[in-house]
Amino acid sequence: MVVQQYRDGGGARAARALAVAGVIAVTAGCVGGGGGGGGSDGSGQRAVAAERPLDVLGRAAGVLAEAGGAEARTSMETAAGGTRVTIRGEGTYDFRTQTGRLKVVLPTDAAGADDRRPITELLAPGALYMKNRGAGVPDDKWVRIDTTALEDGNLVTGGVTDPMAAAELLRGAADVTYEGKSELAGVTVHHYRGVADLNRAARAASPQSRGALSAAAKGFSKDAVPFDAYLDEEGRLRKVRHRFSFTSEGREGQEAAEVTVVSTLLLYGFGAPVTVKLPDEDDIYTGEIRQG
């Protein structure tokens, strides 16, 4: 195994606002650098392994924007008080417009109903739209959430880490280790491990992502998120796993619980067409949402 260490600062980050969108709250039962420049492999592709890991990771979001649309699969595993639940999502995302459409499936036992329909989530800069939200929201209505107002910037609240936000977090990479090459779904990938500093990532993020990441940088109690990232020979992010940790606020008479959230994003099918039509104002629910 090839191991190279690159240090560039860093710390681990936390959140408190999971119950705002309610996805995590429902599923958890309301559990309150070294040298080196660029290179080419002779085919016009970048020789990713020959570059500084901090450069490769810092460029990952821009490379995805150049690639355009992609298919995405997500999983978010939450562990709190001995309880572990996983939320899964699947759909498409356009990195140029930073919009996407995902179907998010809650665990049946945590949702408390065998026939619970998947939640449809529309992702857009600064906003999250949810349909089939439950909790008193009519079936034909959407819930709109301002992600810049969430204390976690929607890194965990919606049960899905926005794919562009996941890539933009790598702009804050630090203490990076190159773990070598492996294969993912038949594609050669380069594995990097490190921590992402939220403040640094927010400062370096694109204007569309900066508001949500800035909110997360202010709302979490620490500054670093450990990650594992896998990029192909062209520098496209194929898989990234972030580990978020924070202390939840316990209900009255209960102690606060330590919560760990592992968010994983898989990207494939680059060039896939992505169509996202945001709801009209008349289709957005403005009434009270029941909390779990």
Side-chain angles (χ1 to χ4, degrees):
M1 176 180 290
V2 179
V3 178
Q4 300 172 350
Q5 184 78 21
Y6 295 79
R7 302 182 68 85
D8 200 16
R13 184 148 284 265
R16 299 188 302 113
L18 298 187
V20 177
V23 173
I24 297 284
V26 169
T27 55
C30 292
V31 174
S40 172
D41 62 2
S43 64
Q45 297 180 350
R46 298 183 180 97
V48 171
E51 298 188 75
R52 287 197 336 146
L54 293 175
D55 292 339
V56 174
L57 296 174
R59 197 174 57 240
V63 172
L64 289 175
E66 293 175 5
E71 296 178 69
R73 289 180 183 171
T74 68
S75 70
M76 187 169 283
E77 184 179 86
T78 304
T83 300
R84 188 179 300 272
V85 296
T86 301
I87 303 166
R88 301 192 186 278
E90 186 170 0
T92 56
Y93 190 91
D94 190 328
F95 289 93
R96 293 164 300 190
T97 60
Q98 299 190 18
T99 58
R101 184 183 184 95
L102 298 170
K103 291 285 188 181
V104 178
V105 180
L106 306 184
T108 299
D109 54 348
D114 294 336
D115 60 349
R116 184 178 180 90
R117 291 173 297 171
I119 295 174
T120 299
E121 294 194 3
L122 303 182
L123 307 174
L128 167 68
Y129 298 84
M130 306 172 74
K131 195 173 186 180
N132 296 333
R133 167 65 176 75
V137 179
D139 291 346
D140 61 342
K141 294 292 186 180
W142 293 85
V143 174
R144 184 190 185 280
I145 298 164
D146 180 356
T147 56
T148 65
L150 294 177
E151 292 186 11
D152 72 315
N154 194 35
L155 293 179
V156 295
T157 291
V160 172
T161 301
D162 183 291
M164 192 54 154
E168 297 262 32
L169 271 174
L170 299 179
R171 295 186 190 271
D175 294 338
V176 178
T177 300
Y178 176 58
E179 300 288 343
K181 292 196 298 186
S182 60
E183 194 169 281
L184 179 65
V187 176
T188 298
V189 292
H190 298 269
H191 178 194
Y192 301 90
R193 177 172 293 159
V195 293
D197 183 282
L198 275 165
N199 280 290
R200 180 179 305 171
R203 291 193 299 269
S206 64
Q208 298 95 320
S209 299
R210 192 169 299 143
L213 288 179
S214 295
K218 294 175 182 177
F220 281 73
S221 61
K222 297 181 181 178
D223 288 332
V225 179
F227 69 83
D228 284 271
Y230 302 79
L231 291 84
D232 64 20
E233 296 284 3
E234 298 180 53
R236 295 178 301 192
L237 185 65
R238 292 281 183 160
K239 177 180 178 180
V240 63
R241 178 180 291 117
H242 292 103
R243 288 170 291 280
F244 304 95
S245 298
F246 57 93
T247 303
S248 70
E249 294 181 347
R251 290 182 173 181
E252 186 176 352
Q254 295 179 336
E255 294 183 0
E258 184 68 18
V259 181
T260 299
V261 178
V262 179
S263 178
T264 303
L265 168 69
L266 290 170
L267 296 171
Y268 56 100
F270 289 98
V274 181
T275 301
V276 177
K277 183 182 183 300
L278 299 181
D280 295 330
E281 287 296 325
D282 292 343
D283 295 326
I284 297 175
Y285 180 68
T286 58
E288 183 178 354
I289 297 175
R290 297 197 305 266
Q291 299 298 332

